[in-house]
Amino acid sequence: MTPAATPLKASREPAPNPPTRTQRRGSMSRRDKLGRLDFVVSPYLYIAPFFVVFAITGLYPLLYTAWVSFHKWHLIGGDQGFTGVDNYVNVLQQPNFWIALRNTFSIFLLSSVPQIILAILIAYVLHTNLRAKTFWRMGVLLPYVVAPVAVSIIFSKLFADQSGMVNAILGQVGIGPIGWHASAFWSHIAIANMVNFRWTGYNALIILAAMQAIPRELYEAATVDGAGRMRQFWSVTIPQLRSTIMFVVINSTIGGLQIFDEPRMFDTMGNGGADNQWLTLTMYLYQLGWGPQKSFGRASAVAWILFLIILLFASLSFLLTRRIASSGTDPARSGRRRRPRRAQHRTAARRAGNSRVQEGALS
């Protein structure tokens, strides 16, 4: 006889509750706890030094300058009481502030726009099959390592009104001498040349690095479609450089609006010209803080106004450049005409890849 089958009582018992979070933590060994703590905390510890240094050297001076801008603060006498927004009102009522603002934007536009265009062209030339590539790439970076004061002194001699080499060359072709220091516009041209001399090569290397990351299949597909070098440059190279160009534009905006060394050293006086022809906002700030007024409160007000202007224009540059970039990459905004062309490029890339595979198999 076989024993009668008995029902399984264990199956009717309720399933044990899963361990709670506290129970799991209690059952973890000390080594597991340290490993979990290391996994959670380590990333923050790795990036903490940067934020600590930034808080000391960047954030604290920024907030302290804002606090000083609301006080009557003398260079020697120190804090002389809270004045509210009087420093800001006083600065905005000064004609020299608006002259400095005009000069700053004029020099910024005359330097940044040609600088980015030249950087793209130089990067494109360096990206081609040149002999001694390393030599040429190092050569374009040499102006960046020259001290700004040395560049300013050399260019101030080149653009001297009476004995400058530029006026001498213009005289050889029948053009009269230009008052580089007397005219506001021509002084801005001369200072913009200094800025372009130093920063064009630096930006060209950044763009060159981005060019080298463009997939070769895109150029091969464009070649299959019959696109020439110029067409490939505008339809393949420039669209692939949009994010890098966005970075260069924002970087140039921030640096261009803070220009100080070049206009400061353009003449021996360093005051921005007899009629403030090339007085910039940073030079005006310096005059308020360390000039006859010795007013740190007004200088701090100018610093914060300049900070807000840079923040505004950097944001506008970012939004404008991103909008231009997304208009060419977003299929919803690109329109119907571009879809067939992209499909043709993808098909050509597949064909080029298949042909290489077939050639490899035959060889």
Side-chain angles (χ1 to χ4, degrees), residues 61-101:
L62 189 68
L63 298 178
Y64 188 74
T65 303
W67 186 74
V68 172
S69 68
F70 293 105
H71 291 74
K72 184 179 180 181
W73 197 291
H74 193 266
L75 174 63
I76 300 174
D79 188 7
Q80 298 178 1
F82 180 77
T83 59
V85 295
D86 289 351
N87 288 326
Y88 290 90
V89 174
N90 182 275
V91 165
L92 294 176
Q93 290 176 346
Q94 300 301 319
N96 285 347
F97 170 80
W98 298 104
I99 293 174
L101 184 65

Side-chain angles (χ1 to χ4, degrees), residues 331-344 346:
R333 297 180 181 177
S334 58
R336 296 180 178 177
R337 294 182 178 179
R338 295 188 179 182
R339 290 182 179 177
R341 184 176 295 277
R342 290 183 177 180
Q344 290 175 3
R346 286 195 292 269

Side-chain angles (χ1 to χ4, degrees), residues 259-326:
I259 184 171
F260 179 78
D261 295 331
E262 290 83 359
R264 170 80 175 168
M265 300 299 297
F266 189 52
D267 67 348
T268 55
M269 303 300 293
N271 294 323
D275 294 328
N276 298 323
Q277 299 97 315
W278 60 88
L279 177 71
T280 61
L281 276 179
T282 50
M283 294 177 66
Y284 182 59
L285 182 155
Y286 181 81
Q287 290 181 1
L288 288 176
W290 287 267
Q293 297 188 32
K294 294 182 174 53
S295 175
F296 268 23
R298 293 172 185 171
S300 300
V302 174
W304 258 89
I305 292 173
L306 179 60
F307 171 72
L308 295 177
I309 291 173
I310 292 174
L311 196 64
L312 174 65
F313 275 84
S315 302
L316 289 176
S317 300
F318 173 75
L319 294 175
L320 181 62
T321 315
R322 191 178 67 171
R323 185 177 180 81
I324 294 173
S326 60

